[in-house]
Amino acid sequence: MTQAPEIPVATRRRHDREIVALAVPAFGALVAEPLFVMADSAIVGHLGTAQLAGLGVASALLTTAVSVFVFLAYATTAAVARRVGAGDRQGAIRQGMDGIWLALLLGIAVIAVVLPSASRIVDLFGASPTAAPYATAYLRISALGIPPMLMVLAATGVLRGLQDTRTPLYVAVAGFLANAALNASLVYGAGLGIAGSAWGTVIAQCGMAAVYLTVVVRGARRHGASLWPDAAGIRASAQAGVPLLVRTLSLRAILMIATAVAARLGDADMAAHQIILSLWSLLAFALDAIAIAGQAIIGRYLGADDTQGAREACRRMVQWGIATGFVLGLLVVAARPLFLPLFTGDPVVRDAALPALLMVALSQPVCGIVFVLDGVLMGAGDGPYLAWAMLLTLAVFVPAALLVPALGGGLTALWAAMTLMMTVRMATLWWRSRSGRWLVTGATR
């Protein structure tokens, strides 16, 4: 960001209200998502160890698939918000429908791949002979829920772009409750075992997609937007999503490499790494909520040709990101005596985790800047830059991570490499934000 005068108090407060109004419900919806897997695990876990192991493999595959296609939410949010800023509500919903149609097509393509090859995919991920049949059964049934799952992502992006994060929160909470009730009744009441858990999740996802579609269709009819697929619009949505897909895959590669390196450090370090990674992911939800607000707000300002408003909102959100990062870091330090015993009673694992945990705490202000600027640039539709920046970050991280076991480093050294990764991301995003090249105005980028 280029130098600018101090934001007036009234303007700052207006930005604060907008950020809170969008970020708080977004945080609730983000937290609700992993509860689906937790509910499934709690219910299936009582069936037996093999069933729980099978669920673990299948749910990991499904979670990866959803995270890969998260660009459906991000790209749609930015595109819809621009149209809203330009005063074109009809075009905004039409743009959102293109994203939903793209999600449906991608979901059908995933089903076509997963159904005939589910057993081979499970074997590829190293499931044991006892767990593999359960993983395959769960994966085949749950694959039927991928189209509605992806449609939920796209529809969430539509509502975020329309500056509505409350509806996704309500739908996420209702979906979690329905999923838990369906799982319990189908697994035990109907005696379907792990298949009942899969069917419960599919039904819950279909219900969530139906609610979202009802909301979007009502909006389309109110503003006279067409609901039919438009080839050019779907193609444009896909083109906007490709750079974000590259970004997401690069980030997933970083996390997978970090886990692979931790596994080479020994069982204690691997166990400690899993604990810390779980905490890191939880902290990310709080910061990602501000990023989601950034996507919606920045897209709207740029659609309205208000570059000054976009700059001021960006500056204020960065301040929010830094402050939130400091608070989260302090909470990690303060809670460490209570946090680690929740996950392990092994003193060796605790000793390995503690210094790495402090590294995570120190890095939170950096993470705050990264998440916020990532959201700002997504809202600006600056996907190609985000893709190249993430590839550069991956290129820096890989040798740093691989040097950890080669030089005899431990888990703390690995998380130092993770902190380096976030610092590189911060540098690339900060440079871009200061350059002003992301400030491209108009209803479309």
Side-chain angles (χ1 to χ4, degrees):
M1 292 169 291
T2 55
Q3 292 294 325
E6 182 65 26
I7 303 173
V9 173
T11 302
R12 190 164 63 242
R13 288 177 177 170
R14 187 182 76 246
H15 289 314
D16 289 346
R17 288 193 297 270
E18 282 188 327
I19 294 167
V20 170
L22 291 170
V24 172
F27 174 70
L30 289 169
V31 170
E33 291 173 8
L35 294 179
F36 271 75
V37 177
M38 291 178 63
D40 289 0
S41 299
I43 293 170
V44 171
H46 291 286
L47 294 174
T49 301
Q51 289 91 331
L52 183 58
L55 172 66
V57 172
S59 63
L61 289 166
L62 290 167
T63 301
T64 299
V66 173
S67 66
V68 165
F69 291 113
V70 75
F71 70 84
L72 289 166
Y74 294 160
T76 305
T77 298
V80 171
R82 275 184 175 270
R83 296 274 188 178
V84 169
D88 183 9
R89 202 85 172 181
Q90 181 188 71
I93 297 176
R94 173 66 263 176
Q95 188 89 45
M97 285 304 305
D98 292 334
I100 293 173
W101 279 110
L102 174 62
L104 177 61
L105 294 174
L106 289 173
I108 293 171
V110 172
I111 286 181
V113 172
V114 171
L115 284 183
S117 59
S119 61
R120 291 192 293 275
I121 295 173
V122 167
D123 290 339
L124 184 63
F125 273 71
S128 68
T130 54
Y134 297 109
T136 302
Y138 189 93
L139 183 60
R140 280 184 175 146
I141 297 170
S142 295
L144 300 176
I146 289 179
M149 201 179 299
L150 298 188
M151 292 171 72
V152 164
L153 282 177
T156 300
V158 176
L159 295 183
R160 288 173 180 171
L162 294 171
Q163 316 296 297
D164 176 11
T165 56
R166 290 183 178 272
T167 300
L169 171 61
Y170 301 147
V171 175
V173 171
F176 163 70
L177 295 174
N179 178 67
L182 285 166
N183 271 255
S185 60
L186 293 175
V187 171
Y188 297 112
L192 296 179
I194 194 170
S197 177
W199 280 117
T201 300
V202 170
I203 295 169
Q205 291 290 348
C206 288
M208 292 171 67
V211 172
Y212 273 119
L213 286 176
T214 300
V215 173
V216 174
V217 168
R218 284 178 179 172
R221 287 175 176 169
R222 187 162 55 249
H223 296 284
S226 173
L227 299 173
W228 293 102
D230 176 68
I234 293 172
R235 188 164 53 250
S237 295
Q239 289 172 346
V242 168
L244 296 180
L245 176 61
V246 172
R247 167 205 167 273
T248 301
L249 290 174
S250 299
L251 182 56
R252 295 297 302 181
I254 286 171
L255 297 177
M256 290 174 64
I257 290 168
T259 300
V261 170
R264 292 177 179 270
L265 299 177
D267 289 347
D269 279 345
M270 180 59 210
H273 174 75
Q274 186 60 34
I275 293 171
I276 294 169
L277 188 60
S278 299
L279 175 63
W280 193 75
S281 300
L282 179 62
L283 297 173
F285 285 137
L287 298 174
D288 204 24
I290 304 174
I292 288 170
Q295 294 170 30
I297 293 170
I298 295 298
R300 192 189 74 231
Y301 274 119
L302 294 179
D305 295 329
D306 186 358
T307 57
Q308 181 62 26
R311 286 182 185 275
E312 290 176 349
C314 177
R315 289 175 60 202
R316 190 57 180 162
M317 280 184 284
V318 168
Q319 292 169 0
W320 269 80
I322 295 171
T324 304
F326 270 115
V327 171
L328 292 176
L330 291 173
L331 287 175
V332 170
V333 173
R336 71 189 187 282
L338 301 174
F339 175 75
L340 290 175
L342 288 176
F343 289 87
T344 180
D346 188 338
V348 177
V349 175
R350 291 186 193 179
D351 290 343
L354 183 57
L357 198 62
L358 295 176
M359 183 70 69
V360 170
L362 290 172
S363 69
Q364 286 309 295
V366 172
C367 293
I369 296 172
V370 168
F371 274 82
V372 167
L373 290 181
D374 204 40
V376 165
L377 296 184
M378 282 185 191
D382 205 11
Y385 179 82
L386 290 173
W388 284 112
M390 203 65 227
L391 288 172
L392 172 62
T393 303
L394 177 62
V396 173
F397 174 76
V398 169
L402 296 180
L403 279 173
V404 170
L407 298 178
L411 188 64
T412 304
L414 175 60
W415 277 92
M418 289 287 285
T419 302
L420 171 65
M421 178 270 294
M422 294 301 291
T423 303
V424 172
R425 288 187 71 189
M426 181 183 70
T428 58
L429 297 174
W430 187 266
W431 177 84
R432 185 66 167 184
S433 69
R434 289 185 63 85
S435 73
R437 295 178 183 176
W438 55 280
L439 291 164
V440 179
T441 59
T444 58
R445 183 178 171 93

